[in-house]
Amino acid sequence: MKAVLASLALLSSVSLAADTPQGPAADGHTWKGATKNVNPVTVNIVAHKDIWSLRSAAVFWAPNLESSQIRAFSFVQRNGTCVIHIIDPEVDYQPEIIGHEFAHCAYGSFHERNIGYKEIDYGI
């Protein structure tokens, strides 16, 4: 966990320029521009034992995501704390996924919304 927090601290010090053309990153997403800029960022990490536990949590905590396609997810609570759900790094260490979710905490929806999202009809 200390390694994860150290990685997040390092990531928080990196500046990303939205006007710089970039190709897809290691996670397959392309930077499209920040929708918010939060500094400092408060983060809680929920580490799941396996992909099935993670995807089960996504059904409840992130119903707008297609849970069968995600590898991690994050959301911001009303108090401003960002909650990142990942697979425990002791089981499957993938720093690009941790960094991707942390970037959502700091910069909002910065990539295209066509990977892992589904439309929800709330009947409103």
Side-chain angles (χ1 to χ4, degrees), residues 22-55:
Q22 300 176 15
D27 62 8
H29 293 279
T30 302
W31 182 266
K32 298 293 185 185
T35 58
K36 67 179 180 179
N37 191 348
V38 178
N39 189 10
V41 178
T42 303
V43 176
N44 283 342
I45 296 176
V46 179
H48 294 271
K49 62 183 179 175
D50 55 37
I51 192 70
W52 311 115
S53 171
L54 174 91
R55 290 178 175 170

Coordinates of all heavy atoms in Angstrom, one line a residue, residues 22-55:
Q22 N -1.6 13.8 -28.3 CA -1.1 12.6 -27.8 C -1.8 11.4 -28.4 O -3.0 11.5 -28.7 CB -1.2 12.5 -26.2 CG -0.6 13.6 -25.5 CD -0.9 13.6 -24.0 OE1 -1.3 12.6 -23.5 NE2 -0.6 14.6 -23.3
G23 N -1.1 10.3 -28.5 CA -1.7 9.1 -28.9 C -2.2 8.3 -27.7 O -2.1 8.8 -26.6
P24 N -2.8 7.2 -27.9 CA -3.2 6.4 -26.8 C -2.1 6.1 -25.8 O -1.0 5.8 -26.2 CB -3.8 5.1 -27.4 CG -4.1 5.5 -28.8 CD -3.0 6.5 -29.2
A25 N -2.4 6.1 -24.5 CA -1.5 5.7 -23.5 C -1.5 4.2 -23.3 O -2.2 3.5 -24.0 CB -1.9 6.4 -22.2
A26 N -0.7 3.7 -22.3 CA -0.6 2.3 -22.1 C -2.0 1.7 -21.8 O -2.2 0.5 -22.0 CB 0.4 2.0 -21.0
D27 N -2.9 2.5 -21.2 CA -4.2 1.9 -20.9 C -5.2 2.0 -22.1 O -6.3 1.6 -21.9 CB -4.8 2.7 -19.7 CG -5.0 4.2 -20.0 OD1 -4.9 4.6 -21.2 OD2 -5.4 4.9 -19.1
G28 N -4.7 2.4 -23.2 CA -5.6 2.5 -24.4 C -6.4 3.7 -24.6 O -7.1 3.9 -25.6
H29 N -6.3 4.7 -23.7 CA -7.1 5.9 -23.7 C -6.3 7.0 -24.2 O -5.1 7.1 -24.1 CB -7.7 6.3 -22.4 CG -8.7 5.3 -21.9 ND1 -10.0 5.3 -22.3 CD2 -8.6 4.3 -21.0 CE1 -10.7 4.4 -21.7 NE2 -9.9 3.7 -20.9
T30 N -7.0 8.0 -24.8 CA -6.3 9.2 -25.3 C -6.8 10.4 -24.5 O -8.0 10.5 -24.2 CB -6.7 9.5 -26.8 OG1 -6.2 8.3 -27.6 CG2 -6.0 10.7 -27.4
W31 N -5.9 11.3 -24.1 CA -6.2 12.5 -23.3 C -7.0 13.4 -24.2 O -6.6 13.9 -25.2 CB -4.9 13.1 -22.9 CG -5.1 14.3 -22.0 CD1 -5.2 15.6 -22.4 CD2 -5.3 14.3 -20.6 NE1 -5.4 16.4 -21.3 CE2 -5.5 15.7 -20.2 CE3 -5.4 13.3 -19.6 CZ2 -5.7 16.1 -18.9 CZ3 -5.6 13.7 -18.3 CH2 -5.8 15.1 -18.0
K32 N -8.2 13.8 -23.7 CA -9.1 14.7 -24.4 C -9.2 16.0 -23.8 O -9.9 16.9 -24.3 CB -10.5 14.1 -24.6 CG -10.5 12.8 -25.4 CD -10.1 13.0 -26.8 CE -10.3 11.8 -27.6 NZ -9.8 11.9 -29.0
G33 N -8.7 16.2 -22.6 CA -8.8 17.4 -21.8 C -9.6 17.3 -20.5 O -10.5 16.5 -20.4
A34 N -9.1 17.9 -19.5 CA -9.7 17.8 -18.2 C -11.0 18.5 -18.1 O -11.3 19.5 -18.7 CB -8.7 18.5 -17.1
T35 N -11.9 17.9 -17.3 CA -13.2 18.5 -17.0 C -13.2 19.2 -15.7 O -14.2 19.8 -15.3 CB -14.4 17.5 -17.1 OG1 -14.1 16.4 -16.1 CG2 -14.5 16.9 -18.5
K36 N -12.2 19.0 -14.9 CA -12.0 19.6 -13.6 C -10.5 19.6 -13.2 O -9.8 18.8 -13.9 CB -12.9 19.0 -12.5 CG -12.5 17.6 -12.1 CD -13.3 17.0 -11.0 CE -12.9 15.6 -10.7 NZ -13.7 15.0 -9.6
N37 N -10.1 20.3 -12.2 CA -8.8 20.3 -11.8 C -8.8 20.4 -10.2 O -9.0 21.5 -9.7 CB -7.9 21.4 -12.4 CG -6.5 21.3 -12.1 OD1 -6.0 20.5 -11.3 ND2 -5.7 22.1 -12.8
V38 N -8.6 19.3 -9.6 CA -8.7 19.2 -8.1 C -7.3 19.1 -7.5 O -6.5 18.3 -7.9 CB -9.5 18.0 -7.7 CG1 -9.5 17.9 -6.2 CG2 -10.9 18.0 -8.3
N39 N -7.0 20.0 -6.6 CA -5.7 20.0 -5.9 C -5.8 20.7 -4.6 O -6.3 21.8 -4.5 CB -4.7 20.8 -6.8 CG -3.3 20.6 -6.3 OD1 -3.0 19.8 -5.4 ND2 -2.3 21.4 -6.8
P40 N -5.6 20.0 -3.5 CA -5.1 18.7 -3.4 C -6.2 17.7 -3.6 O -7.4 18.0 -3.5 CB -4.6 18.6 -1.9 CG -5.4 19.6 -1.2 CD -5.7 20.7 -2.2
V41 N -5.8 16.4 -3.8 CA -6.7 15.3 -4.0 C -6.7 14.4 -2.8 O -5.7 14.0 -2.3 CB -6.3 14.5 -5.3 CG1 -7.3 13.3 -5.5 CG2 -6.3 15.4 -6.5
T42 N -7.9 14.1 -2.3 CA -8.0 13.2 -1.2 C -8.5 11.9 -1.8 O -9.6 11.9 -2.5 CB -9.0 13.7 -0.1 OG1 -8.6 15.0 0.3 CG2 -9.1 12.7 1.0
V43 N -7.8 10.8 -1.5 CA -8.2 9.5 -2.1 C -8.3 8.4 -1.1 O -7.5 8.3 -0.1 CB -7.0 9.1 -3.1 CG1 -7.3 7.7 -3.7 CG2 -6.9 10.1 -4.2
N44 N -9.3 7.6 -1.3 CA -9.4 6.3 -0.5 C -9.3 5.2 -1.6 O -9.9 5.3 -2.7 CB -10.8 6.2 0.2 CG -10.8 7.0 1.4 OD1 -9.8 7.4 2.0 ND2 -12.1 7.2 1.9
I45 N -8.5 4.2 -1.3 CA -8.3 3.1 -2.2 C -9.0 1.8 -1.7 O -8.8 1.4 -0.5 CB -6.9 2.8 -2.5 CG1 -6.2 4.0 -3.2 CG2 -6.7 1.5 -3.3 CD1 -4.7 3.9 -3.4
V46 N -9.9 1.2 -2.5 CA -10.5 -0.1 -2.1 C -9.8 -1.1 -3.0 O -10.0 -1.1 -4.2 CB -12.0 0.0 -2.4 CG1 -12.6 -1.4 -2.0 CG2 -12.6 1.1 -1.6
A47 N -9.1 -2.0 -2.4 CA -8.4 -3.1 -3.1 C -9.2 -4.4 -3.0 O -9.5 -4.9 -2.0 CB -7.0 -3.3 -2.5
H48 N -9.5 -4.9 -4.2 CA -10.3 -6.1 -4.3 C -9.4 -7.3 -4.5 O -8.4 -7.2 -5.2 CB -11.3 -6.0 -5.5 CG -12.4 -4.9 -5.2 ND1 -13.6 -5.2 -4.6 CD2 -12.4 -3.6 -5.5 CE1 -14.3 -4.1 -4.5 NE2 -13.6 -3.1 -5.1
K49 N -9.9 -8.5 -4.1 CA -9.1 -9.7 -4.1 C -9.0 -10.2 -5.6 O -8.1 -11.0 -5.9 CB -9.6 -10.7 -3.2 CG -11.0 -11.2 -3.5 CD -11.6 -12.2 -2.5 CE -13.0 -12.5 -2.9 NZ -13.6 -13.5 -2.1
D50 N -10.0 -9.9 -6.4 CA -10.0 -10.4 -7.8 C -11.0 -9.6 -8.6 O -11.7 -8.7 -8.1 CB -10.4 -11.9 -7.8 CG -11.8 -12.2 -7.2 OD1 -12.7 -11.3 -7.3 OD2 -11.9 -13.2 -6.5
I51 N -10.9 -9.8 -9.9 CA -11.7 -9.1 -10.9 C -13.2 -9.2 -10.6 O -14.0 -8.3 -10.8 CB -11.4 -9.4 -12.3 CG1 -12.0 -8.5 -13.3 CG2 -11.8 -10.9 -12.6 CD1 -11.4 -7.1 -13.3
W52 N -13.6 -10.3 -10.1 CA -15.1 -10.6 -9.9 C -15.6 -9.7 -8.7 O -16.7 -9.2 -8.7 CB -15.3 -12.1 -9.6 CG -14.7 -12.9 -10.7 CD1 -13.7 -13.8 -10.6 CD2 -15.0 -12.8 -12.1 NE1 -13.3 -14.3 -11.8 CE2 -14.1 -13.7 -12.7 CE3 -15.9 -12.1 -12.9 CZ2 -14.1 -13.9 -14.1 CZ3 -15.9 -12.3 -14.3 CH2 -15.0 -13.2 -14.9
S53 N -14.8 -9.6 -7.7 CA -15.1 -8.7 -6.5 C -15.2 -7.3 -7.0 O -16.1 -6.5 -6.7 CB -14.1 -8.9 -5.4 OG -14.3 -7.9 -4.4
L54 N -14.2 -6.8 -7.8 CA -14.2 -5.5 -8.4 C -15.5 -5.2 -9.2 O -16.1 -4.2 -9.0 CB -13.0 -5.3 -9.2 CG -12.9 -3.9 -9.9 CD1 -12.2 -2.9 -9.1 CD2 -12.2 -4.1 -11.3
R55 N -15.8 -6.1 -10.1 CA -16.9 -5.9 -11.0 C -18.2 -6.0 -10.2 O -19.2 -5.3 -10.6 CB -16.9 -6.9 -12.1 CG -15.7 -6.5 -13.1 CD -15.6 -7.5 -14.2 NE -14.5 -7.0 -15.1 CZ -14.0 -7.7 -16.1 NH1 -14.4 -8.9 -16.4 NH2 -13.0 -7.2 -16.9

